[in-house]
Amino acid sequence: MELTGEILGIIYQNEINSYTIAEIYANELEKIETIVGYLPFIAEGDEVKVIGKLVEHKEYGEQFKVETFEKLMPQTLEALERYLGNGTIKGVGPATARKIVETFGDETLDVLKYDTSKLQRVKGISSERAIEIAESFMESWGVWQIVEFLKKFNIGIENAKRIYDKLGAMAIETINENPYILIDFVRGINFKQIDDMALKLGTDEGSLKRITSGIKYALIQTSYNGHSCAILQNLEEFVTNLLGIGVDEVESGIIHLKAKGEIVIENREDDSEWIYLESFYNTEVAICNRLNKLDETSNSKKVQEIKNEIKRVEKENEIELSEKQKEAVEAVNDNNVTIITGGPGTGKTTIIKSIIDIYIKHNNKIVLAAPTGRAAKRMTETTGIEASTLHRLLEIGKINDDGLYKKSQDYQGTPIDADIVIVDEMSMVDMFLMNYLLQSVYLGTKLILVGDSDQLPSVGPGSVLQDIIKSGKITTIHLDKIFRQAAKSKIIVNAHRINEGEGFISKEEMEEGAKDDFFFINETSQDKMIKQVISLCSGRLKKYGNYDFFENIQVLTPTKKGPLGTKELNKSLQEVLNPAEDKKKERNTGNTIYRVGDRIMQVKNNYDIYWERHSNNETGTGVFNGEFGTILDIDEKDKNVEIRFDDDKIAWYQFTDLEQIEHSYSITIHKAQRK
């Protein structure tokens, strides 16, 4: 059964899956009918054609259950006025819609589509606003056409706006020509979906376009696991399984991509062949070249009497540096690039403070940075000098005076005005962020890289710190002695013992005065484990230090799934630590409830999202994978969530963008490194 008519009102619409209950004036029935079904981007005033059947609801009576539908251009001037004024078109409300339709009548659509300048005839519409209205109208209609196109391939409608932003009015033609282009910018889509779509559109299973797309997809997937490249045999095996083709065809695709300059094949000394995406390879080469250049530049910041300076620092601060610590300070003096690595409690912070003390006295400007907000905050607290995140230091996402901002893909470097740059928690830095940093360091500036090489590699591609150390090209000081004060911490002692393949230290082995900061609770029942975690977080730990969960406690787990994975633990901990209350705002997104007061974590780099930092009136764009924050407000009217992150920037997320965050009551061990 088919009905056409105007949407008179929206009774209910789920913003996640677009399940809608609406009233339509059905022309065929000459009466108002309730329609139900999945109707994305439908608003009051829309003209639609729906196909389905009449059903009887036991509570609400007769309804029309929609199976498929199509959005139509309004057929009457009255309907057009309602359509333009329903909030869909930016800058047009009911009053402006009425003026536009009264002015242009039957020519209204032609004006909006083809002759934007005529809109200035309407009182109150400037040339700039006329362009804005026309662009919004065309975008709205263009997005809808994409929705209609994607429906045929079971690709989520939430991607339609993003596709339009990337590909514009020629989106459908571009996708028809090469469906695999969607992999590059559609969130939550997998290769199988795109591949099925391409095959339905007529792409041959053995086409070069399909094979090369599969190879690039495989290399991108590799980067999600922290790798910058893949060994040839592994790549071939993955792609043959992915596409159901032979190795010979994959090899042809590799040769084609190499000829086009999209991949690089590296032949290593052991005769193995490694495949890189061209951008990944160029980034690694750029890092190597820049590091060598920085290190080889003449050292103009050298302190002549460094041994005397070390003695002075020891005396004034009433400390005694170990031989390794002194060696680290001297290495910094002798080299332009130095790595200082060691586990917890090995004195890295003391070395940093000593270096700062020495070089500030000699009128050197020092800049401190770390990959995350929390790491930068800790650095500030321990040194007394303000540290910033690397993204902030490098102005990635910074809004310029001309209203533009810097994105990763067009980043050219922001020169760092400093004699010495010290970067802590280097194990968290991926290859792209490292490249941006090196581009920004002046030749002659001392660069000091500090971190624990035994930590898991960065979430992004590349094991930067480990690889530089393994190269043997950059002076590296390895710290392995646990200092007496640190040795009183069971956490630090056990961290080193585990790293060395030993078991937890016993109570009897600990020296006198050891801290009660490590507990091993042996449970074999999952239910008991969950109860233990909740009990510890909700009060038991307070007697050991008056710990507040939101300030001092973080639950770590190896996995996302299962009863003890992050998803289930977050639900359980939220219920106890931030329960629902009558006046507490919340938002249900899929299977997740976000609530004011929730602790959250950004899980994707978003270079575009706007933020404000009220403490210094700073503005910018960009929130990055691994940043932690708290939900301040949920606004149902504006359909956004206000979040304050740990570096005090405040950002607003549209409800449709909540896929970018997760609860962080519990996080995976890998993600924990980004704290």
Side-chain angles (χ1 to χ4, degrees), residues 103-104 107 110-111 115-122 125 130:
T103 302
F104 302 109
E107 296 180 2
D110 287 338
V111 170
D115 203 352
T116 308
S117 62
K118 286 185 178 179
L119 286 172
Q120 297 176 66
R121 296 180 189 176
V122 178
I125 297 181

Side-chain angles (χ1 to χ4, degrees), residues 219-229 280 284 429-431 456-464 467 670:
L219 291 170
I220 291 169
Q221 289 298 111
T222 296
S223 74
Y224 293 155
N225 294 319
H227 305 298
S228 59
C229 57
F280 283 51
E284 284 202 350
V429 177
D430 65 29
M431 58 190 287
L456 291 168
S458 61
V459 176
S463 300
V464 175
D467 287 349
H670 207 166

Side-chain angles (χ1 to χ4, degrees), residues 229-232 264-268 270 272-276:
C229 57
I231 195 167
L232 176 62
V264 175
I265 302 175
E266 184 180 74
N267 296 294
R268 299 189 180 176
D270 60 358
S272 61
E273 293 180 282
W274 293 80
I275 315 299
Y276 291 80

Side-chain angles (χ1 to χ4, degrees), residues 301 332 352 355-357 359-360 363-371 376 379-380 383-395 414-424 426 437 440-442 445-450:
K301 311 296 183 265
V332 167
I352 292 173
I355 291 168
I356 291 171
D357 192 332
Y359 284 90
I360 280 183
N363 299 315
N364 288 289
K365 185 176 181 180
I366 299 175
V367 168
L368 308 183
M379 205 175 183
T380 300
T383 64
I385 296 177
E386 185 178 357
S388 70
T389 65
L390 283 170
H391 286 96
R392 188 178 178 190
L393 174 66
L394 303 176
E395 296 187 353
T414 299
I416 301 172
D417 181 19
D419 297 308
I420 298 171
V421 176
I422 304 176
V423 183
D424 200 6
M426 268 298 301
L437 170 65
S440 302
V441 176
Y442 284 118
T445 297
K446 284 186 179 295
L447 177 62
I448 305 167
L449 308 175
V450 184

Side-chain angles (χ1 to χ4, degrees), residues 589-659:
T589 303
N591 296 320
T592 304
I593 297 173
Y594 289 108
R595 191 173 291 142
V596 170
D598 274 344
R599 195 158 75 177
I600 62 90
M601 173 177 60
Q602 181 80 7
V603 295
K604 297 179 180 179
N605 286 336
N606 184 338
Y607 291 89
D608 301 330
I609 192 166
Y610 172 81
W611 53 257
E612 298 174 357
R613 188 178 282 111
H614 296 161
S615 58
N616 58 4
N617 294 320
E618 187 180 3
T619 62
T621 65
V623 179
F624 304 99
N625 185 7
E627 293 200 53
F628 289 76
T630 303
I631 294 178
L632 300 181
D633 189 28
I634 297 172
D635 191 328
E636 289 289 342
K637 182 181 178 182
D638 291 337
K639 301 183 183 273
N640 65 39
V641 174
E642 182 180 354
I643 299 173
R644 182 180 62 231
F645 289 90
D646 287 348
D647 61 354
D648 290 328
K649 61 174 178 268
I650 295 174
W652 292 263
Y653 287 67
Q654 295 299 306
F655 288 165
T656 52
D657 291 329
L658 293 180
E659 63 181 22

Side-chain angles (χ1 to χ4, degrees), residues 376-440:
K377 190 175 180 181
R378 284 198 304 270
M379 205 175 183
T380 300
E381 291 168 351
T382 57
T383 64
I385 296 177
E386 185 178 357
S388 70
T389 65
L390 283 170
H391 286 96
R392 188 178 178 190
L393 174 66
L394 303 176
E395 296 187 353
I396 300 174
K398 174 78 173 181
I399 295 178
N400 299 326
D401 294 336
D402 57 3
L404 302 175
Y405 59 88
K406 302 175 182 180
K407 297 184 180 182
S408 62
Q409 60 264 36
D410 54 23
Y411 185 73
Q412 297 297 314
T414 299
I416 301 172
D417 181 19
D419 297 308
I420 298 171
V421 176
I422 304 176
V423 183
D424 200 6
E425 299 291 356
M426 268 298 301
S427 63
M428 301 181 192
V429 177
D430 65 29
M431 58 190 287
F432 295 112
L433 191 54
M434 182 64 173
N435 191 33
Y436 302 154
L437 170 65
L438 296 179
Q439 287 181 46
S440 302

